[in-house]
Amino acid sequence: MAKVIAEKAAAEIPVSGKQVEIKHTRVMQNAAGNNVTVVDYVDVKPVDEAISQAEAELVTAEALVVSLKADIVEYKKIKG
């Protein structure tokens, strides 16, 4: 699943501060067999919240990478 991230225009929302609009998309095939991008859903949130969530996801992903690297080392030991 991909994301399209853009600043949300201030006139469209009554909240103070900058907002971001995140379109969650995926690629599907239409009846003719052509690939088309489809928007699954749209999130609108304050930019500070979006940054905090992305930073938290990054910490989780980095921890997963460390764990996977350790797994690979163990697998290679077994392989010999």
Side-chain angles (χ1 to χ4, degrees), residues 18-80:
K18 289 191 175 187
Q19 300 275 314
V20 292
E21 178 180 79
I22 305 166
K23 293 180 182 176
H24 299 266
T25 62
R26 60 190 161 108
V27 176
M28 300 178 69
Q29 286 190 341
N30 64 11
N34 299 320
N35 288 342
V36 294
T37 301
V38 178
V39 176
D40 280 333
Y41 60 97
V42 178
D43 284 334
V44 176
K45 61 179 82 175
V47 70
D48 290 334
E49 180 183 332
I51 291 169
S52 295
Q53 286 179 352
E55 288 172 341
E57 289 177 24
L58 179 60
V59 168
T60 302
E62 288 171 340
L64 179 59
V65 167
V66 169
S67 175
L68 290 171
K69 285 183 177 181
D71 289 350
I72 290 170
V73 168
E74 293 301 316
Y75 297 148
K76 286 184 176 180
K77 284 182 189 176
I78 293 169
K79 181 179 178 182

